Amino acid sequence: MLSPLSHPLDRRRFLGLASLGVAATALTACAGPSTSGAAPGAAASSSSSVDWASVKPAATIQFWSSNPGSSQQVTQQIVDAYNASQSATKVTLVTAGASYEDIAAKFQTAQASGQLPDLMVLSDVWWFRYFLQGSITPLNDLLEAAEVQTSDYRKTFLDDYSYAGSTWAVPWARSTPLFYYNKDHWKAAGLPDRAPATWQELAEWAPKLQAAGLGTQHAYQLPAVAGYAGWTLQNNLWGWGTGWSQKDSFTITCDSSAAQQALQFLQDAVYKDRWAGVASTSAITDLTAKAVSATTSSTGDLRTALKAGTIDLGVGFLPGGPAATEPVCPTGGAGLAIPSGIDPGRQLAAMQFIKFLTSPENTVTFSDATGYIPVRTSADTTQLLTTTPQLKTAIDQLSLTRPQDWARVFLPGADQEMGKTAAAVFTGQADVASSLSQLKATLEGIYTRDVEPKLKK
C-alpha cells in the first residue's frame, strides 16, 4: 500500500523540490525515455544568466512536430508565412514521428547524439519527464525577451506548464474530449438534440437507438484502448466521485469502490447490455462511417469528423456520473518546448517563432484546420465559429475542466499502464476489481521506485 506522505505535499512544493535538484537521478520508468540528466534547477540558472538583449537570433532553426490532428499542411503554411515575413531566421518543419511517443523517443535519442531540435512538440504526459531531466529550458526570460504577452493565453492551458516558478512550454495543439453523436440517429430514436447529461442517461437512451433500425453495430463506441484511454476515462472516474489518484496527490485511488463501479458500468455496457463497443483504431472513423451513433474523442478530431461529411454531427459536453456532473472534463494535447542544450541564439529564434506560431491570428488558422481550441483569449473566433459552430462547445466546456490526475501525468509510464488495464477490462472482459487492484500496485511501484526518492531532501 502507498502510505500517505509524512508532510503535506502540494503541487507547488513537489515541483519546487524538483527544481532544487532532487530529481537529478534517473527515473527508471516502465515505459518511455529515461529522465536522467541535469536537474531542472541547473537549466533555470543558466537561462536566467543570459543577457537576451545582446543575443542575436540564429539564422536557421528546426521545429520538430508529430503533426497532431493531421496538422502538417496548416503548420507548414504558417512556417512559410513566417519565413516570408522576415529574413533573420529560416524555420524548417521536421516531421519527427507520427505520435507524441515517437517524437519523445526521437528527442531522447537526440540528447545523446547532440543533434537537438530548436523547438518541439511535447504532450501532456511527456513534457514533465524532460522537466525532471533538465533537458527543456524554463521560458520566463525568453517569453519576456520576445515580448510575448502570456496573459493572453488561455489560463487553463498555460497553467498546465507553469511549475516551480517557471513556464516550461507554450500551449499550442490543445483540446478537451467532446461527446460526438449522429444527429440523424438521435432524431430517428426520438431523442433530444443534445449530449446526455450523465452516463446513466445514455444507458437509458441506448435501447432506443438500438431499436430504431439504424444498421449500426453499437449505440456508443468506446475510444480505442491503444490510444489515450487513461485520459478519457478520467471523465468516468470523476463522474463517479473518484480518480486514478486523489486530487493533487500521489495517493492512488484507482481501485476504490467508486472506480470499480465506473469501469464496471462501461464493461457491462459492452458485454452485458451490449449497447457499447470498443474502437479497434479510431472511434471517430467508426462514427462517421455510421457504424455507431456516438463516441467520445478529442476536440482535435472535430475537423476530421466534419471533413468526412457523412453525418450531421452533434457535439456536447462530456456526461457526468452519479456523484458529479461538473467539472468532469480534462484538458489535454500538446505544448511547445525549447531544449536546454542549445545555444541562446537558437533558443531566442525558437521563441520568436513560437510567438508567431501561436499568435491570435494563427491560432485561429490552426484551429480552423484541425479543430483544436484557439489558445489565445484575444483571438477573433467570429468567422471560425460561423463556419464551425461545434467548436464553441469545446470553448464553453473549458470553464468545466479539471486538472488531470497526478497519477496519469506525473508518474512515468502510467498512461500506458492505464491503457493496458482498459484493454484487459473492455476487450478481454477481465475482472474489474482485480484489474484495478493490479493497476494500483503497478502505479504505486512507479511512485515508490521512480518518484518518491526524488521528493526527499
Side-chain angles (χ1 to χ4, degrees):
M1 295 289 289
L2 179 63
S3 301
L5 297 175
S6 58
H7 52 77
L9 183 69
D10 61 15
R11 185 184 296 260
R12 182 185 301 271
R13 173 169 172 76
F14 163 60
L15 291 150
L17 287 171
S19 69
L20 291 173
V22 295
T25 54
L27 289 182
T28 54
C30 57
S34 163
T35 53
S36 60
S45 298
S46 62
S47 175
S48 61
S49 64
V50 175
D51 178 12
W52 292 105
S54 65
V55 173
K56 180 181 179 180
T60 61
I61 59 173
Q62 285 191 352
F63 171 29
W64 282 11
S65 178
S66 55
N67 304 313
S70 302
S71 58
Q72 181 175 0
Q73 182 177 357
V74 66
T75 304
Q76 186 63 60
Q77 291 172 356
I78 297 173
V79 168
D80 292 343
Y82 182 72
N83 289 338
S85 71
Q86 48 77 53
S87 58
T89 302
K90 179 181 179 181
V91 179
T92 300
L93 176 64
V94 176
T95 297
S99 67
Y100 294 140
E101 290 72 26
D102 287 348
I103 197 170
K106 186 176 177 66
F107 180 51
Q108 184 71 14
T109 301
Q111 292 176 67
S113 68
Q115 302 299 310
L116 292 167
D118 300 287
L119 70 154
M120 69 280 186
V121 173
L122 290 179
S123 82
D124 50 359
V125 299
W126 285 91
W127 78 266
F128 185 66
R129 305 170 195 233
Y130 297 114
F131 163 81
L132 290 176
Q133 187 182 31
S135 56
I136 56 176
T137 196
L139 302 180
N140 297 40
D141 293 338
L142 276 165
L143 288 162
E144 183 177 354
E147 299 181 345
V148 179
Q149 299 297 318
T150 56
S151 61
D152 191 41
Y153 289 97
R154 295 188 186 276
K155 190 175 186 301
T156 17
F157 292 160
L158 189 65
D159 283 354
D160 282 343
Y161 310 109
S162 300
Y163 295 114
S166 295
T167 298
W168 299 90
V170 174
W172 181 51
R174 297 308 309 270
S175 64
T176 65
L178 286 173
F179 186 89
Y180 293 85
Y181 63 99
N182 185 322
K183 286 191 170 192
D184 290 334
H185 287 189
W186 250 234
K187 184 177 180 180
L191 301 177
D193 186 11
R194 62 171 175 83
T198 63
W199 288 99
Q200 287 73 20
E201 185 171 45
L202 179 60
E204 295 171 1
W205 290 357
K208 297 179 181 179
L209 288 163
Q210 291 175 306
L214 302 171
T216 56
Q217 297 173 0
H218 306 287
Y220 176 80
Q221 192 83 312
L222 285 164
V225 292
Y228 297 98
W231 182 48
T232 56
L233 284 174
Q234 287 174 118
N235 159 248
N236 303 89
L237 295 172
W238 295 345
W240 264 257
T242 186
W244 296 121
S245 56
Q246 288 182 0
K247 187 176 181 180
D248 291 344
S249 169
F250 284 111
T251 302
I252 308 300
T253 55
C254 67
D255 71 333
S256 67
S257 59
Q260 293 177 32
Q261 292 168 19
L263 266 64
Q264 188 64 61
F265 173 89
L266 293 177
Q267 188 189 64
D268 287 348
V270 174
Y271 290 102
K272 180 182 176 182
D273 302 321
R274 298 184 180 278
W275 54 263
V278 183
S280 58
T281 53
S282 170
I284 281 293
T285 298
D286 295 342
L287 177 66
T288 57
K290 302 181 183 179
V292 299
S293 297
T295 191
T296 300
S297 195
S298 168
T299 325
D301 289 324
L302 177 58
R303 179 54 63 190
T304 300
L306 290 172
K307 282 183 177 179
T310 54
I311 66 171
D312 186 5
L313 183 69
V315 297
F317 290 0
L318 295 190
T325 55
E326 60 182 55
V328 293
C329 179
T331 61
L336 304 164
I338 297 175
S340 59
I342 60 176
D343 67 64
R346 294 169 63 186
Q347 292 179 338
L348 181 59
M351 180 53 70
Q352 289 175 339
F353 173 64
I354 289 175
K355 179 181 180 180
F356 183 85
L357 180 64
T358 62
S359 69
E361 296 78 15
N362 282 327
T363 194
V364 170
T365 298
F366 187 75
S367 177
D368 186 44
T370 63
Y372 284 108
I373 300 172
V375 299
R376 301 289 287 268
T377 59
S378 67
D380 184 356
T381 59
T382 304
Q383 184 58 40
L384 176 64
L385 296 182
T386 298
T387 57
T388 314
Q390 296 90 342
L391 193 60
K392 186 176 186 301
T393 301
I395 295 174
D396 291 345
Q397 191 176 217
L398 289 177
S399 64
L400 302 177
T401 56
R402 168 178 163 177
Q404 292 196 58
D405 293 334
W406 283 21
R408 179 175 186 261
V409 293
F410 286 163
L411 297 183
D415 192 49
Q416 289 88 345
E417 296 299 332
M418 293 166 183
K420 292 177 186 177
T421 298
V425 169
F426 301 136
T427 65
Q429 203 173 358
D431 180 73
V432 172
S434 60
S435 297
L436 290 177
S437 178
Q438 183 177 351
L439 176 62
K440 179 179 181 179
T442 299
L443 298 182
E444 288 181 344
I446 295 173
Y447 171 80
T448 302
R449 182 185 64 249
D450 301 334
V451 176
E452 186 178 31
K454 319 307 185 289
L455 304 180
K456 296 179 179 178
K457 291 183 179 180

